[in-house]
Amino acid sequence: MKNATHFAAALGLAMFASGAAIAAAASDTPPAAPVDGVIGYILTDEVWAVHQTPEGKQECPEGLNAWGPREQFKKMFVDDGKKRTLQEAQLLWEAKIWHPEVGEDPFPFRAPIGNISYGLNLDGRIDPDDQITPDGVKGIDNQLYRVIGCIEEFRGPTGILHFLVNRYLRDFEFNRVLIELSGVDDMVNDPQVDVTILRGRDRMMADATGNDIIPGGSNRVDMRWGRKYVQRLTGKIVDGVLTTAPKDVKLPHAIFNSIPGEDEMKGAVFSLKLTAERAEGLLAGYSDIDTWYRQLNHSWSTHHQSYGQLSSPSIYKHMHRLADGYPDPKTGKNTAISSALAVKFTQVFIQHPPKEVAGGGTERPVATSAKASQ
C-alpha cells in the first residue's frame, strides 16, 4: 500500500506507542527472521483513527459536538412545554435511535475541518477530497473521521468510549484477536507472507503494573466458538512494514462482555510496522454503515452516549452523506464508508489444537508459533 512505511512510522511515534514499542521500532538493528518462519501477535489496542491537536483547536475550531441525546431530547420534547406520555417522548426517541432516517440533520453537528487525517489510500487514487497524513502522505481515504472527529467519546485520552474500548479489549476474552504470520523469511523485506486471523481463549500477559501487555505470553486458539473468525490473508513486508492484500475482515468486539459484537470491514488492509516484539499501525477499509451503526447502539446505550454528546442518529445521517464505497446495486447509493482502526499488537506464542481437537476432541493443544529470534 502506497507510502505505508512513512505512515506506520508516524502513527507509531505520534499516537499511542508505548516507550518500549517506540524503542523497538526506532532500533537500528533489524529483527531476525522468526523461528520456522512463524510469529504470532495479540491485539492489545484498537481505536478509530482520529487526528487530534491540543484541545482540538485546529480540526474543531468551534469546539466539540455539544448536541448529544439529552440536548436533542430536551429540544424536541421539553422546551415546547407540551405534556407527553412515555410512549410519545422517550420511547419515540429510542425508536428514532434504532431506526434512524437518512436526510438533513435538524440539530447542529460539528465535523472536523481541513484534510489532515490518518488512514490509507484504499482506492489507489489521489482525489481532490482525499486526506493527507500529518507527515504529508496524500490520497488518504478515511471519511469516517470526518464524521466522528469532533465527538468527544471518540477522542483520547479523555473520551470514555475511546478509553473503555481498549480496557475491555484486554479484560474480556471474547475480544481476543490473534494474527499469525507464516512463511516469513525476512522481517524487513519479504515478497510473500501468509497472515491468519484467529480468535484466542486466554487472558493477556501484563507487566507488574498491569497496564502494559508484554511479549512472550501464550494464547490458545478457540476452534469451537471462534471458528468463524479464522480468516486467511496474503501480504508482503517492505522496509519492515507488513501490508496485506484487500479482503473483507471480521473481528470479535464487545464493549460490555455480555453484549458480543463484531467489527467488519470490506476490502480491509493491514499496514503494520513489525518488530520481534510488537506490530502496530492500521487496519483500514470500508465499514458497512448499517453494521457499524448497529454495533455502536448494541454495545453503547443512549445513556452512555450522553457522556460525550454522541448522537447516533446524527452520526448515521452524516455517515450516509459521506459514504464513499460499495454502492447498492439497485439504488446506486454508497452503503459503506472508508475508515481506519489504529491497532497495536504484542508478540505471543499461539497454541493450535491438533486436528482432532479442532474437530471437536479434547486433547491438550500444542504450540506452533515461535517467538522471533533476537
Side-chain angles (χ1 to χ4, degrees):
M1 186 61 59
K2 181 174 11 179
N3 294 309
T5 303
H6 296 90
F7 171 78
L11 183 69
L13 291 171
M15 293 187 64
F16 58 89
S18 68
I22 292 174
S27 173
D28 293 331
T29 303
V35 176
D36 298 327
V38 179
I39 185 170
Y41 297 96
I42 189 167
L43 180 64
T44 62
D45 298 82
E46 67 165 11
V47 293
W48 293 106
V50 172
H51 170 63
Q52 295 183 212
T53 61
E55 300 179 3
K57 291 183 177 179
Q58 179 178 320
E59 68 278 13
C60 307
E62 296 182 353
L64 302 182
N65 271 286
W67 285 76
R70 290 192 180 102
E71 293 78 14
Q72 293 181 351
F73 184 88
K74 180 180 179 181
K75 180 67 175 179
M76 291 182 66
F77 301 114
V78 178
D79 286 349
D80 61 8
K82 295 181 180 179
K83 292 185 177 181
R84 294 179 173 86
T85 65
L86 181 68
Q87 180 178 351
E88 293 170 333
Q90 185 175 339
L91 294 182
L92 178 62
W93 182 241
E94 279 296 306
K96 288 182 177 293
I97 289 174
W98 283 98
H99 302 281
E101 300 172 349
V102 176
E104 292 297 321
D105 191 353
F107 302 103
F109 187 83
R110 293 172 181 169
I113 66 171
N115 63 347
I116 299 177
S117 175
Y118 295 103
L120 296 178
N121 187 338
L122 298 173
D123 57 15
R125 305 192 307 265
I126 299 179
D127 298 320
D129 62 342
D130 281 349
Q131 295 142 317
I132 303 173
T133 66
D135 60 343
V137 178
K138 298 180 180 180
I140 300 303
D141 300 303
N142 187 358
Q143 291 289 72
L144 181 62
Y145 166 67
R146 288 181 164 139
V147 179
I148 65 174
C150 292
I151 298 174
E152 182 181 1
E153 293 205 30
F154 291 101
R155 297 169 63 88
T158 57
I160 190 168
L161 182 58
H162 183 283
F163 168 75
L164 286 180
V165 164
N166 281 336
R167 175 179 173 180
Y168 293 152
L169 178 69
R170 298 182 179 194
D171 287 352
F172 300 153
E173 281 82 358
F174 178 85
N175 293 329
R176 206 61 69 237
V177 176
L178 310 171
I179 60 170
E180 184 176 66
L181 280 58
S182 57
V184 181
D185 301 315
D186 190 327
M187 289 281 284
V188 179
N189 290 288
D190 194 321
Q192 176 68 46
V193 298
D194 295 316
V195 180
T196 304
I197 300 173
L198 302 157
R199 180 180 168 191
R201 298 171 54 189
D202 303 309
R203 294 186 64 84
M204 303 182 192
M205 185 171 71
D207 64 6
T209 70
N211 295 322
D212 292 323
I213 306 303
I214 59 178
S218 63
N219 215 281
R220 295 170 295 171
V221 174
D222 172 19
M223 290 301 293
R224 182 178 184 185
W225 307 111
R227 188 182 296 275
K228 69 175 182 177
Y229 296 114
V230 178
Q231 300 154 85
R232 293 178 172 84
L233 299 79
T234 59
K236 61 182 179 181
I237 303 173
V238 178
D239 295 333
V241 175
L242 168 70
T243 303
T244 59
K247 189 172 183 179
D248 296 353
V249 166
K250 180 184 298 185
L251 304 179
H253 177 90
I255 296 180
F256 297 110
N257 208 22
S258 59
I259 311 175
E262 294 173 340
D263 283 329
E264 296 185 43
M265 280 188 183
K266 299 178 179 179
V269 174
F270 277 106
S271 177
L272 302 174
K273 178 68 177 178
L274 302 177
T275 72
E277 297 186 339
R278 314 280 176 180
E280 49 188 270
L282 287 178
L283 171 61
Y286 291 90
S287 294
D288 178 82
I289 293 174
D290 288 340
T291 302
W292 192 97
Y293 187 80
R294 286 196 304 272
Q295 164 68 1
L296 172 67
N297 287 327
H298 272 292
S299 59
W300 204 235
S301 69
T302 307
H303 166 77
H304 293 92
Q305 292 177 17
S306 297
Y307 291 158
Q309 284 70 46
L310 188 162
S311 166
S312 53
S314 293
I315 286 179
Y316 188 81
K317 295 177 189 295
H318 290 277
M319 287 180 76
H320 273 283
R321 179 175 63 84
L322 294 171
D324 57 344
Y326 292 82
D328 183 281
K330 294 183 179 179
T331 66
K333 295 181 179 180
N334 288 323
T335 63
I337 187 168
S338 54
S339 56
L341 279 169
V343 293
K344 180 178 177 181
F345 293 83
T346 297
Q347 181 274 329
V348 69
F349 294 94
I350 298 177
Q351 292 183 308
H352 289 266
K355 291 182 179 180
E356 58 270 24
V357 175
T362 58
E363 287 190 27
R364 184 178 179 180
V366 295
T368 60
S369 288
K371 182 178 179 180
S373 58
Q374 302 298 319

